[in-house]
Amino acid sequence: AIAEHLSNDLPYQLSPEDIYVTAGCKQAMEVTVKVLARPEANILLPRPGYRTYETFANLHHLEFRLFDLLPERGWEVDLDAVEAIADENTIAMVIINPGNPCGSVYSYEHLSKIADTARKLGILVIADEVYGHVTFGSKPFVPMGVFGSTVPVITLGSISKRWMVPGWRLGWLVTSDPTGLLQKCGIADSIENVLNPAPFSPTFIQAAVPEILEKTTEEFFSKTINILGAASAFCYDKLKEIPCITCPQRAEGAMFVLVKLNLSLLEDIEDDMEFCLKLAKEESLVILPGVTVGLKNWLRVTFAVEYSSLEDGLGRLKSFCQRHAKKYSLTGSTAADQQIHVEH
């Protein structure tokens, strides 16, 4: 059922042998890292990114190297940086699309360039698509597996986000590899060997998967997308009203937006961690400090909450920033006034 469902978006047909069912997407992540780990090998990870990849790499003694995502280009991969840090021991690069923590969605053209770069370097692409199809901007979701004929792709996903059942722990690891390279080099066998003694995804949920994939209505998906799209727009508009926060772009996918802190406009706050700790203490509002996703002095804001809670939370965030804003400089103007003057 998973093979049939995912094949709808691909120019080739996946077989059941391409699908490995896992206990959520995190198990799929760990299995992938464990299979690829070997002495002296390294893997390329995005910054900002989902830091659990780094945890699994450390756990299995796999060196990781970070490449930057570019906020001024919609958080696209800095492909020049990828080529600069790769060497003969690089085995794979990870992309997360739609993006956590950035809320980005990659275009067909950019994904094609990623595939060409990976092919040039002789490495695999690990495509984390746990937020697949959760998009509400101008760009549609394009699975990395579309470029499986250019470069072998290991696709990771689950039912937790698009179908809104995160506690059910049903994910998958997919070898999107129509040329059969992963079979020839033994990676497919290694995946099976690693998974054999591992905990299985709950079997009663596996029994429900065919109906979940085949019979969930478009109305369910469109309602979810409309709610998230409206929340993303509202969040973006409200964040723009706060002088010490810069939002590079409105989120177009997933459930988060990444914003930059201007600490020069704030008093008694040294970095994003202190900002978030004081925010939680003073306003009972929890926001993730950017340092936890690889970008110091940024913030990851989640907008996948009830509208009333989102409105309340963004109001608390604005009040907190106003309370901690630098009051007066030597000239008697506020820091915010100075910032407006500089911009004009």
Side-chain angles (χ1 to χ4, degrees):
I2 294 170
E4 287 290 332
H5 175 75
L6 296 178
S7 295
N8 291 333
D9 294 327
L10 299 174
Y12 53 89
Q13 186 73 27
L14 294 169
S15 74
E17 286 70 36
D18 295 317
I19 312 296
Y20 303 85
V21 178
T22 59
C25 193
K26 280 188 180 177
Q27 188 189 24
M29 291 163 52
E30 182 174 14
V31 168
T32 303
V33 170
K34 187 174 182 178
V35 164
L36 296 178
R38 60 175 175 77
E40 299 184 2
N42 65 76
I43 187 170
L44 310 184
L45 303 177
R47 177 177 55 203
Y50 189 57
R51 300 293 287 276
T52 303
Y53 284 100
E54 297 176 24
T55 301
F56 287 142
N58 284 327
L59 179 64
H60 296 291
H61 309 290
L62 176 61
E63 179 192 350
F64 64 85
R65 301 176 181 180
L66 301 175
F67 59 85
D68 288 326
L69 305 182
L70 303 172
E72 68 277 10
R73 284 172 33 189
W75 300 105
E76 288 186 346
V77 174
D78 185 344
L79 292 172
D80 291 335
V82 168
E83 293 197 40
I85 63 175
D87 62 20
E88 68 276 7
N89 293 318
T90 303
I91 49 174
M93 65 179 291
V94 171
I95 65 164
I96 305 174
N97 179 50
N100 176 7
C102 307
S104 53
V105 178
Y106 291 156
S107 67
Y108 181 97
E109 292 74 20
H110 185 57
L111 292 170
S112 178
K113 290 177 182 177
I114 290 172
D116 289 340
T117 300
R119 182 184 178 92
K120 176 181 175 182
L121 296 173
I123 63 177
L124 311 176
V125 176
I126 300 166
D128 184 328
E129 297 177 355
V130 71
Y131 287 98
H133 289 284
V134 184
T135 62
F136 32 82
S138 58
K139 294 191 284 289
F141 169 67
V142 178
M144 190 71 210
V146 166
F147 305 96
S149 296
T150 302
V151 63
V153 177
I154 294 177
T155 300
L156 312 181
S158 82
I159 62 172
S160 65
K161 304 302 189 294
R162 192 183 185 202
W163 289 269
M164 300 293 169
V165 284
W168 288 18
R169 310 309 304 155
L170 192 291
W172 50 76
L173 184 163
V174 180
T175 51
S176 303
D177 179 35
T179 62
L181 184 62
L182 297 179
Q183 287 282 354
K184 293 172 189 172
C185 68
I187 287 180
D189 288 339
S190 295
I191 294 170
E192 193 166 327
N193 290 337
V194 169
L195 273 172
N196 271 339
F200 288 105
S201 179
T203 51
F204 68 92
I205 294 172
Q206 290 192 46
V209 165
E211 192 164 344
I212 291 171
L213 297 182
E214 293 165 13
K215 296 187 179 180
T216 303
T217 65
E218 282 304 315
E219 182 184 4
F220 172 86
F221 294 133
S222 62
K223 182 179 179 181
T224 301
I225 293 304
N226 290 339
I227 290 171
L228 286 172
S232 171
F234 178 76
C235 188
Y236 179 69
D237 290 341
K238 290 299 179 183
L239 289 170
K240 286 197 299 182
E241 297 175 1
I242 305 174
C244 67
I245 289 177
T246 302
C247 190
Q249 69 165 33
R250 174 186 161 185
E252 296 188 321
M255 301 173 179
F256 321 98
V257 64
L258 207 60
V259 299
K260 187 172 178 59
L261 267 179
N262 186 345
L263 293 170
S264 67
L265 299 180
L266 298 172
E267 283 184 340
D268 304 323
I269 294 178
E270 292 189 1
D271 57 22
D272 57 326
M273 184 65 76
E274 186 175 14
F275 180 96
C276 291
L277 288 171
K278 288 185 174 180
L279 179 65
K281 183 177 180 179
E282 297 177 22
E283 295 286 350
S284 298
L285 179 65
V286 177
I287 287 178
L288 197 67
V291 68
T292 62
V293 297
L295 277 190
K296 188 175 176 62
N297 296 332
W298 287 69
L299 305 170
R300 191 195 77 166
V301 180
T302 303
F303 49 80
V305 294
E306 290 286 344
Y307 179 84
S308 59
S309 297
L310 181 62
E311 186 176 29
D312 180 37
L314 292 170
R316 294 184 190 205
L317 177 62
K318 185 175 182 179
S319 296
F320 175 83
C321 291
Q322 289 173 338
R323 189 163 61 251
H324 287 273
K326 287 184 177 176
K327 301 301 187 290
Y328 292 95
S329 69
L330 293 175
T331 62
S333 61
T334 66
D337 290 338
Q338 290 182 34
Q339 179 70 12
I340 291 170
H341 177 70
V342 169
E343 289 173 355
H344 279 293

